[in-house]
Amino acid sequence: MTLARVDRRKRAPAVSGATGTDGRTGPPARRRRRRNQLTALGFVAPLVAYLVAFYAYPLYRNLDLSLRHYTVRSFVDNNAPFSGWDNFSQVLHDPTFGPALRNTMVFTFVSILFQYVAGLGLAVFFNRHFRLAATLRALFLVPWLLPLIVSASTWSWMLNSESGVVNYALHLVGVSPVDWLSSPHWALTSVVLANIWIGIPFNLVILYSGLQNIPTELYEAASLDGAGGWQQFRRITFPMLRPVSAITLLLGLVYTLKVFDLIWIMTKGGPGDSSSTLATWSYQLGFGTLLPQFGPGAAVGNILIIIALVFGLLYIRVQRRQQP
């Protein structure tokens, strides 16, 4: 009995060392897990720093601006008094709010509708894989690749009332010239046309990539059953593209809501408030006058953020309902 106990006592440290619990023959599981966590944090840290520096902090500053009464002096001194919801109340009761909100909705939904329809039609057209399809598809990307200031300046020149090529073409067919950029009835239409032209390539690229993921066997089976082109599109293409269409429309909505430079270069929101949107009005309040109104301008920007957030939450809810 005594020899057996002694033998077991001698063997115990050897077994413990083999499992690595004393730290001499291998790293412990806790230390290895901690090292993996530090490695993961090292990869995530740059992204977190980027989000905090360029998203979280600007959002915080914009919210702070909208809740305080800022002047140029208090903005420099950073000692503006707290005003609560006064800036939002001022914005909502301003006569410009109604036209700006209406123009924003018209500009956004009309642009998204025509961009999606045209992009979907072109995506289906190029999905046939005919000769020169890749070349033509690349040419359609030119409006998307051009700097926005170039596109806006080009459209301003084309729609010029006196020397624009659009009015010259109308003159050739016997139509009287149109004051595209200086008429309250045509200014919003002009910027919508320009924005549709710029946004079609984005819809084309996203929807074309979605078409590539639809199995060709579905179309072959539909053809054997006697389905025509329209029936194949209605029963196969469009339903299979719903997830891609949803994210395309959401991204287009968020992007179009905040369009500023195109409208500002072409019409500056005028004449009057005929083409003014919430984005251009926010800029005019904050930077467009000699006495800037930083608080109301920030309040308009926050209203835009809330609108985009509402549509984003609606999209998430719809996607959850569609998931099995």
Side-chain angles (χ1 to χ4, degrees):
M1 293 294 294
T2 305
L3 292 176
R5 291 178 180 174
V6 172
D7 184 58
R8 281 197 298 269
R9 291 175 181 175
K10 290 182 178 179
R11 279 192 243 173
V15 175
S16 176
T19 58
T21 57
D22 60 351
R24 290 180 293 179
T25 60
R30 184 180 301 175
R31 187 181 303 172
R32 191 162 50 247
R33 187 163 52 249
R34 183 177 299 175
R35 185 166 57 247
N36 292 338
Q37 292 175 350
L38 291 176
T39 302
L41 289 176
F43 283 106
V44 174
L47 176 61
V48 174
Y50 172 80
L51 293 176
V52 170
F54 295 100
Y55 286 89
Y57 181 72
L59 285 175
Y60 162 75
R61 287 294 299 159
N62 196 67
L63 181 61
D64 181 71
L65 280 171
S66 64
L67 297 177
R68 295 181 180 275
H69 179 67
Y70 273 96
T71 62
V72 176
R73 181 173 182 177
S74 61
F75 185 83
V76 176
D77 298 338
N78 198 22
N79 60 353
F82 183 79
S83 60
W85 302 102
D86 291 348
N87 291 322
F88 289 91
S89 178
Q90 177 182 342
V91 166
L92 294 176
H93 291 87
D94 194 291
T96 309
F97 177 76
L101 181 62
R102 183 181 63 251
N103 293 339
T104 301
M105 296 297 104
V106 172
F107 177 81
T108 301
F109 289 108
V110 173
S111 296
I112 290 176
L113 175 63
F114 283 93
Q115 288 172 357
Y116 177 78
V117 172
L120 179 59
L122 290 172
V124 173
F125 174 74
F126 286 118
N127 197 40
R128 298 179 180 180
H129 303 291
F130 55 90
R131 291 184 61 184
L132 300 179
T135 303
L136 292 176
R137 193 168 64 249
L139 291 176
F140 270 98
L141 294 179
V142 172
W144 192 30
L145 300 176
L146 287 175
L148 198 54
I149 187 173
V150 175
S151 301
S153 300
T154 303
W155 274 95
S156 297
W157 168 73
M158 292 173 57
L159 297 177
N160 186 276
S161 301
E162 299 178 356
S163 59
V165 295
V166 175
N167 276 346
Y168 179 74
L170 293 177
H171 172 72
L172 293 179
V173 296
V175 179
S176 57
V178 177
D179 296 329
W180 295 100
L181 303 178
S182 56
S183 171
H185 304 290
W186 289 102
L188 184 61
T189 303
S190 301
V191 294
V192 168
L193 289 174
N195 192 62
I196 292 173
W197 180 78
I198 293 173
I200 287 176
F202 172 77
N203 288 260
L204 168 61
V205 170
I206 303 299
L207 295 174
Y208 179 80
S209 64
L211 290 175
Q212 301 302 301
N213 295 325
I214 301 178
T216 57
E217 292 80 4
L218 296 178
Y219 295 103
E220 295 173 358
S223 298
L224 293 176
D225 291 338
W230 171 246
Q231 290 180 328
Q232 293 181 17
F233 174 81
R234 189 165 58 92
R235 299 294 179 86
I236 300 175
T237 304
F238 193 72
M240 296 291 287
L241 277 179
R242 283 179 181 173
V244 179
S245 298
I247 190 63
T248 303
L249 293 173
L250 176 64
L251 293 176
L253 174 69
V254 173
Y255 172 78
T256 310
L257 277 174
K258 62 184 183 63
V259 168
F260 159 76
D261 34 14
L262 175 71
I263 302 175
W264 190 257
I265 292 174
M266 293 183 65
T267 64
K268 288 184 171 58
D273 298 327
S274 59
S275 62
S276 177
T277 62
L278 292 178
T280 59
W281 187 35
S282 176
Y283 178 84
Q284 287 176 333
L285 289 173
F287 306 99
T289 61
L290 296 177
L291 296 175
Q293 303 179 56
F294 298 114
V300 176
N302 285 325
I303 293 175
L304 269 178
I305 294 174
I306 293 173
I307 295 175
L309 182 62
V310 168
F311 283 104
L313 293 177
L314 289 176
Y315 165 77
I316 294 174
R317 185 174 182 179
V318 171
Q319 286 295 98
R320 287 181 177 177
R321 287 185 175 181
Q322 292 180 352
Q323 291 177 355

PDB file of all heavy atoms in Angstrom, residues 27-45:
ATOM      1  N   PRO A  27       1.133  26.368 -23.902  1.00  0.00           N
ATOM      2  CA  PRO A  27       0.352  27.529 -23.452  1.00  0.00           C
ATOM      3  C   PRO A  27      -1.008  27.088 -22.951  1.00  0.00           C
ATOM      4  O   PRO A  27      -1.667  26.247 -23.553  1.00  0.00           O
ATOM      5  CB  PRO A  27       0.226  28.377 -24.722  1.00  0.00           C
ATOM      6  CG  PRO A  27       0.381  27.415 -25.835  1.00  0.00           C
ATOM      7  CD  PRO A  27       1.319  26.359 -25.355  1.00  0.00           C
ATOM      8  N   PRO A  28      -1.508  27.656 -21.879  1.00  0.00           N
ATOM      9  CA  PRO A  28      -2.832  27.294 -21.368  1.00  0.00           C
ATOM     10  C   PRO A  28      -3.931  27.789 -22.295  1.00  0.00           C
ATOM     11  O   PRO A  28      -3.739  28.708 -23.092  1.00  0.00           O
ATOM     12  CB  PRO A  28      -2.889  27.990 -20.012  1.00  0.00           C
ATOM     13  CG  PRO A  28      -1.936  29.131 -20.131  1.00  0.00           C
ATOM     14  CD  PRO A  28      -0.835  28.656 -21.042  1.00  0.00           C
ATOM     15  N   ALA A  29      -5.098  27.171 -22.188  1.00  0.00           N
ATOM     16  CA  ALA A  29      -6.228  27.534 -23.065  1.00  0.00           C
ATOM     17  C   ALA A  29      -6.664  28.971 -22.843  1.00  0.00           C
ATOM     18  O   ALA A  29      -7.034  29.672 -23.789  1.00  0.00           O
ATOM     19  CB  ALA A  29      -7.387  26.572 -22.818  1.00  0.00           C
ATOM     20  N   ARG A  30      -6.627  29.443 -21.597  1.00  0.00           N
ATOM     21  CA  ARG A  30      -7.051  30.813 -21.315  1.00  0.00           C
ATOM     22  C   ARG A  30      -6.133  31.820 -21.991  1.00  0.00           C
ATOM     23  O   ARG A  30      -6.592  32.817 -22.562  1.00  0.00           O
ATOM     24  CB  ARG A  30      -7.075  31.042 -19.814  1.00  0.00           C
ATOM     25  CG  ARG A  30      -7.593  32.425 -19.410  1.00  0.00           C
ATOM     26  CD  ARG A  30      -7.590  32.589 -17.907  1.00  0.00           C
ATOM     27  NE  ARG A  30      -8.429  31.563 -17.271  1.00  0.00           N
ATOM     28  CZ  ARG A  30      -8.532  31.423 -15.950  1.00  0.00           C
ATOM     29  NH1 ARG A  30      -7.843  32.236 -15.142  1.00  0.00           N
ATOM     30  NH2 ARG A  30      -9.305  30.486 -15.442  1.00  0.00           N
ATOM     31  N   ARG A  31      -4.822  31.555 -21.953  1.00  0.00           N
ATOM     32  CA  ARG A  31      -3.872  32.476 -22.592  1.00  0.00           C
ATOM     33  C   ARG A  31      -4.040  32.466 -24.098  1.00  0.00           C
ATOM     34  O   ARG A  31      -3.960  33.498 -24.754  1.00  0.00           O
ATOM     35  CB  ARG A  31      -2.448  32.077 -22.219  1.00  0.00           C
ATOM     36  CG  ARG A  31      -1.394  33.074 -22.682  1.00  0.00           C
ATOM     37  CD  ARG A  31      -0.012  32.599 -22.302  1.00  0.00           C
ATOM     38  NE  ARG A  31       0.072  32.376 -20.858  1.00  0.00           N
ATOM     39  CZ  ARG A  31       1.120  31.804 -20.250  1.00  0.00           C
ATOM     40  NH1 ARG A  31       2.152  31.399 -20.988  1.00  0.00           N
ATOM     41  NH2 ARG A  31       1.123  31.633 -18.952  1.00  0.00           N
ATOM     42  N   ARG A  32      -4.297  31.303 -24.670  1.00  0.00           N
ATOM     43  CA  ARG A  32      -4.489  31.213 -26.106  1.00  0.00           C
ATOM     44  C   ARG A  32      -5.770  31.938 -26.533  1.00  0.00           C
ATOM     45  O   ARG A  32      -5.801  32.623 -27.557  1.00  0.00           O
ATOM     46  CB  ARG A  32      -4.556  29.745 -26.508  1.00  0.00           C
ATOM     47  CG  ARG A  32      -4.503  29.511 -28.014  1.00  0.00           C
ATOM     48  CD  ARG A  32      -4.131  28.076 -28.352  1.00  0.00           C
ATOM     49  NE  ARG A  32      -4.960  27.115 -27.621  1.00  0.00           N
ATOM     50  CZ  ARG A  32      -4.488  26.295 -26.687  1.00  0.00           C
ATOM     51  NH1 ARG A  32      -3.209  26.313 -26.373  1.00  0.00           N
ATOM     52  NH2 ARG A  32      -5.301  25.435 -26.080  1.00  0.00           N
ATOM     53  N   ARG A  33      -6.843  31.805 -25.749  1.00  0.00           N
ATOM     54  CA  ARG A  33      -8.088  32.480 -26.045  1.00  0.00           C
ATOM     55  C   ARG A  33      -7.929  33.998 -25.947  1.00  0.00           C
ATOM     56  O   ARG A  33      -8.466  34.756 -26.757  1.00  0.00           O
ATOM     57  CB  ARG A  33      -9.170  31.992 -25.083  1.00  0.00           C
ATOM     58  CG  ARG A  33     -10.560  32.510 -25.418  1.00  0.00           C
ATOM     59  CD  ARG A  33     -11.648  31.699 -24.721  1.00  0.00           C
ATOM     60  NE  ARG A  33     -11.412  31.597 -23.297  1.00  0.00           N
ATOM     61  CZ  ARG A  33     -11.071  30.471 -22.658  1.00  0.00           C
ATOM     62  NH1 ARG A  33     -10.914  29.345 -23.347  1.00  0.00           N
ATOM     63  NH2 ARG A  33     -10.889  30.458 -21.337  1.00  0.00           N
ATOM     64  N   ARG A  34      -7.161  34.455 -24.947  1.00  0.00           N
ATOM     65  CA  ARG A  34      -6.938  35.889 -24.813  1.00  0.00           C
ATOM     66  C   ARG A  34      -6.141  36.446 -25.989  1.00  0.00           C
ATOM     67  O   ARG A  34      -6.402  37.546 -26.474  1.00  0.00           O
ATOM     68  CB  ARG A  34      -6.196  36.166 -23.505  1.00  0.00           C
ATOM     69  CG  ARG A  34      -5.972  37.657 -23.227  1.00  0.00           C
ATOM     70  CD  ARG A  34      -5.290  37.858 -21.887  1.00  0.00           C
ATOM     71  NE  ARG A  34      -6.127  37.315 -20.794  1.00  0.00           N
ATOM     72  CZ  ARG A  34      -5.716  37.272 -19.530  1.00  0.00           C
ATOM     73  NH1 ARG A  34      -4.507  37.726 -19.207  1.00  0.00           N
ATOM     74  NH2 ARG A  34      -6.524  36.788 -18.602  1.00  0.00           N
ATOM     75  N   ARG A  35      -5.164  35.673 -26.466  1.00  0.00           N
ATOM     76  CA  ARG A  35      -4.377  36.122 -27.612  1.00  0.00           C
ATOM     77  C   ARG A  35      -5.250  36.216 -28.867  1.00  0.00           C
ATOM     78  O   ARG A  35      -5.104  37.151 -29.670  1.00  0.00           O
ATOM     79  CB  ARG A  35      -3.204  35.163 -27.841  1.00  0.00           C
ATOM     80  CG  ARG A  35      -2.264  35.640 -28.950  1.00  0.00           C
ATOM     81  CD  ARG A  35      -0.942  34.896 -28.954  1.00  0.00           C
ATOM     82  NE  ARG A  35      -1.142  33.463 -29.088  1.00  0.00           N
ATOM     83  CZ  ARG A  35      -0.864  32.574 -28.142  1.00  0.00           C
ATOM     84  NH1 ARG A  35      -0.382  32.995 -26.978  1.00  0.00           N
ATOM     85  NH2 ARG A  35      -1.068  31.288 -28.326  1.00  0.00           N
ATOM     86  N   ASN A  36      -6.166  35.274 -29.035  1.00  0.00           N
ATOM     87  CA  ASN A  36      -7.085  35.333 -30.180  1.00  0.00           C
ATOM     88  C   ASN A  36      -8.002  36.549 -30.086  1.00  0.00           C
ATOM     89  O   ASN A  36      -8.305  37.191 -31.095  1.00  0.00           O
ATOM     90  CB  ASN A  36      -7.916  34.051 -30.243  1.00  0.00           C
ATOM     91  CG  ASN A  36      -7.078  32.835 -30.594  1.00  0.00           C
ATOM     92  OD1 ASN A  36      -5.998  32.962 -31.170  1.00  0.00           O
ATOM     93  ND2 ASN A  36      -7.555  31.649 -30.220  1.00  0.00           N
ATOM     94  N   GLN A  37      -8.461  36.860 -28.889  1.00  0.00           N
ATOM     95  CA  GLN A  37      -9.309  38.032 -28.715  1.00  0.00           C
ATOM     96  C   GLN A  37      -8.561  39.317 -29.030  1.00  0.00           C
ATOM     97  O   GLN A  37      -9.097  40.224 -29.662  1.00  0.00           O
ATOM     98  CB  GLN A  37      -9.855  38.061 -27.289  1.00  0.00           C
ATOM     99  CG  GLN A  37     -10.847  36.952 -26.965  1.00  0.00           C
ATOM    100  CD  GLN A  37     -11.270  36.960 -25.508  1.00  0.00           C
ATOM    101  OE1 GLN A  37     -10.696  37.682 -24.686  1.00  0.00           O
ATOM    102  NE2 GLN A  37     -12.280  36.154 -25.172  1.00  0.00           N
ATOM    103  N   LEU A  38      -7.305  39.401 -28.586  1.00  0.00           N
ATOM    104  CA  LEU A  38      -6.509  40.590 -28.892  1.00  0.00           C
ATOM    105  C   LEU A  38      -6.251  40.722 -30.379  1.00  0.00           C
ATOM    106  O   LEU A  38      -6.256  41.831 -30.929  1.00  0.00           O
ATOM    107  CB  LEU A  38      -5.181  40.529 -28.122  1.00  0.00           C
ATOM    108  CG  LEU A  38      -5.286  40.677 -26.597  1.00  0.00           C
ATOM    109  CD1 LEU A  38      -3.909  40.506 -25.963  1.00  0.00           C
ATOM    110  CD2 LEU A  38      -5.870  42.025 -26.216  1.00  0.00           C
ATOM    111  N   THR A  39      -6.051  39.588 -31.053  1.00  0.00           N
ATOM    112  CA  THR A  39      -5.855  39.621 -32.503  1.00  0.00           C
ATOM    113  C   THR A  39      -7.112  40.122 -33.214  1.00  0.00           C
ATOM    114  O   THR A  39      -7.046  40.955 -34.133  1.00  0.00           O
ATOM    115  CB  THR A  39      -5.485  38.224 -33.020  1.00  0.00           C
ATOM    116  OG1 THR A  39      -4.306  37.766 -32.355  1.00  0.00           O
ATOM    117  CG2 THR A  39      -5.237  38.262 -34.521  1.00  0.00           C
ATOM    118  N   ALA A  40      -8.261  39.618 -32.774  1.00  0.00           N
ATOM    119  CA  ALA A  40      -9.522  40.068 -33.370  1.00  0.00           C
ATOM    120  C   ALA A  40      -9.743  41.554 -33.122  1.00  0.00           C
ATOM    121  O   ALA A  40     -10.171  42.291 -34.023  1.00  0.00           O
ATOM    122  CB  ALA A  40     -10.682  39.255 -32.804  1.00  0.00           C
ATOM    123  N   LEU A  41      -9.451  42.016 -31.919  1.00  0.00           N
ATOM    124  CA  LEU A  41      -9.601  43.440 -31.617  1.00  0.00           C
ATOM    125  C   LEU A  41      -8.662  44.284 -32.462  1.00  0.00           C
ATOM    126  O   LEU A  41      -9.000  45.411 -32.863  1.00  0.00           O
ATOM    127  CB  LEU A  41      -9.346  43.691 -30.128  1.00  0.00           C
ATOM    128  CG  LEU A  41     -10.427  43.191 -29.165  1.00  0.00           C
ATOM    129  CD1 LEU A  41      -9.980  43.417 -27.720  1.00  0.00           C
ATOM    130  CD2 LEU A  41     -11.754  43.889 -29.421  1.00  0.00           C
ATOM    131  N   GLY A  42      -7.478  43.760 -32.754  1.00  0.00           N
ATOM    132  CA  GLY A  42      -6.533  44.490 -33.592  1.00  0.00           C
ATOM    133  C   GLY A  42      -7.065  44.703 -35.001  1.00  0.00           C
ATOM    134  O   GLY A  42      -6.825  45.754 -35.612  1.00  0.00           O
ATOM    135  N   PHE A  43      -7.800  43.706 -35.530  1.00  0.00           N
ATOM    136  CA  PHE A  43      -8.383  43.856 -36.857  1.00  0.00           C
ATOM    137  C   PHE A  43      -9.600  44.786 -36.834  1.00  0.00           C
ATOM    138  O   PHE A  43      -9.860  45.499 -37.801  1.00  0.00           O
ATOM    139  CB  PHE A  43      -8.795  42.486 -37.410  1.00  0.00           C
ATOM    140  CG  PHE A  43      -7.642  41.672 -37.918  1.00  0.00           C
ATOM    141  CD1 PHE A  43      -7.166  40.594 -37.199  1.00  0.00           C
ATOM    142  CD2 PHE A  43      -7.025  41.987 -39.122  1.00  0.00           C
ATOM    143  CE1 PHE A  43      -6.100  39.848 -37.662  1.00  0.00           C
ATOM    144  CE2 PHE A  43      -5.959  41.242 -39.601  1.00  0.00           C
ATOM    145  CZ  PHE A  43      -5.492  40.164 -38.876  1.00  0.00           C
ATOM    146  N   VAL A  44     -10.366  44.762 -35.751  1.00  0.00           N
ATOM    147  CA  VAL A  44     -11.583  45.561 -35.672  1.00  0.00           C
ATOM    148  C   VAL A  44     -11.297  47.017 -35.310  1.00  0.00           C
ATOM    149  O   VAL A  44     -12.040  47.916 -35.698  1.00  0.00           O
ATOM    150  CB  VAL A  44     -12.556  44.931 -34.649  1.00  0.00           C
ATOM    151  CG1 VAL A  44     -13.774  45.817 -34.439  1.00  0.00           C
ATOM    152  CG2 VAL A  44     -12.990  43.552 -35.105  1.00  0.00           C
ATOM    153  N   ALA A  45     -10.195  47.269 -34.602  1.00  0.00           N
ATOM    154  CA  ALA A  45      -9.905  48.611 -34.092  1.00  0.00           C
ATOM    155  C   ALA A  45      -9.853  49.682 -35.186  1.00  0.00           C
ATOM    156  O   ALA A  45     -10.439  50.761 -35.016  1.00  0.00           O
ATOM    157  CB  ALA A  45      -8.605  48.594 -33.296  1.00  0.00           C
TER     158      ALA A  45
END
